[in-house]
Amino acid sequence: MVTKQVPLKSDEDLNDPNCHTRLALDRIGDKWTVLVVLHLSRRSPRRFTELREAIAGIAPKVLTQTLRTLERDGIVTRTVYAEVPPKVTYDLTPLGASLRTPIAAIHRWAHHYMPEVLDARADHDSGLDSGLDSGHGGVSAPRSRRTSRA
Amino acid sequence: MVTKQVPLKSDEDLNDPNCHTRLALDRIGDKWTVLVVLHLSRRSPRRFTELREAIAGIAPKVLTQTLRTLERDGIVTRTVYAEVPPKVTYDLTPLGASLRTPIAAIHRWAHHYMPEVLDARADHDSGLDSGLDSGHGGVSAPRSRRTSRA
DNA sequence: CCGAATCCGTTGCGATACTG
DNA sequence: CAGTATCGCAACGGATTCGG
């Protein structure tokens, strides 16, 4: 599929807290959601402990929380097997699978440009005024931006 | 450029806190960043107050904070004009402009699938164990916790 | 006009311990 | 095995006030 070129919304839409883009970002912007979706999209269904082991660092409470919200939003399904050793599996719904596209876009951007971001960040942090000037000439001499950030 | 199909990372990479995807999400996952980038990508440069008015609801402190971090990461440039009426403009760097691609992907997904998410959410919230149907086709009944199989 | 400084409420996240 | 219960911190965001 070809990447369509930036059909962004208008200002008014963007300011709307109910704007879908805002809602989507609130949804995937948390710490673990994307990670969970990514793991499930690579192999599913997955069991609880399997996910917990795979993610390594997440607290069970938080994983449950994340999965519950994901289930609530129709992104994953939860299947309980009434067996003697308790068994619960999580799977991605088609809706959840559709998330792979935007996530992949983010991933591709990150892979491509994140080094630049990190570089700029490091540069800004160490020497705030180190020779990176836009060479912007004209109107009124732009003063160098040097603000203490306590 | 060939459109690669979902080149997701491996588990180990995903668990890495330094994983670029994670870092990128931490970066754009906050409340206002995407909004600011979107406004700047539609028209720039923009003045501080201009942005504040456009976003409508953001506190000056938070806007400053957001812009500072964005500047630090090389996504926007800040230009101070040493004039009697203080004037500061913000502009998107090429790096910042590159963010439009993933943001557009998110936007497109949100526009496409967010209604389903909201529908599933409402359905899940209202009737957890009454086979209720919102009459809004598209999403299958999420029979939440009762998906027992043997 | 462009912010910085301060205070404060909310909430996500984490650690540990315990249960069906 | 798959969670729940409880506690608590720390970071984010909001409102207000003051300064250059």
Side-chain angles (χ1 to χ4, degrees), chain B residues 54-101:
Chain B
I55 292 179
I58 192 171
K61 187 193 85 168
V62 179
L63 179 55
T64 300
Q65 199 173 274
T66 304
L67 288 168
R68 283 278 186 273
T69 317
L70 251 18
E71 185 197 5
R72 184 183 113 157
D73 287 355
I75 292 172
V76 306
T77 56
R78 179 173 176 268
T79 308
V80 180
Y81 295 86
E83 298 177 355
V84 185
K87 181 181 173 184
V88 179
T89 62
Y90 295 91
D91 206 342
L92 224 54
T93 64
L95 178 57
S98 72
L99 259 177
R100 298 183 76 191
T101 300

Side-chain angles (χ1 to χ4, degrees), chain A residues 7 9 11 15 21-22 35 39 42 54-55 72-73 78-80 98 107 109 121 140 142-143 145, chain B residues 7 9 11 15 21-22 35 39 42 54-55 71-73 80 83 98 107 109 120-121 147-149:
Chain A
K9 300 190 147 193
D11 280 355
N15 282 329
T21 305
R22 287 279 296 274
L35 215 41
H39 276 284
R42 289 203 330 98
I55 292 179
R72 184 183 111 153
D73 287 354
R78 179 171 176 272
T79 307
V80 180
S98 72
H107 168 259
W109 181 86
R121 191 181 296 183
S140 318
R143 205 177 42 179
R145 63 241 193 278
Chain B
K9 301 191 148 194
D11 280 355
N15 281 330
T21 303
R22 286 282 294 275
L35 214 41
H39 276 284
R42 289 187 60 257
I55 292 179
E71 185 197 5
R72 184 183 113 157
D73 287 355
V80 180
E83 298 177 355
S98 72
H107 168 258
W109 181 87
R121 189 181 298 182
T147 333
S148 303
R149 286 174 53 187

Side-chain angles (χ1 to χ4, degrees), chain A residues 146-150, chain B residues 68:
Chain A
R146 177 67 177 88
T147 317
S148 58
R149 233 195 122 186
Chain B
R68 283 278 186 273

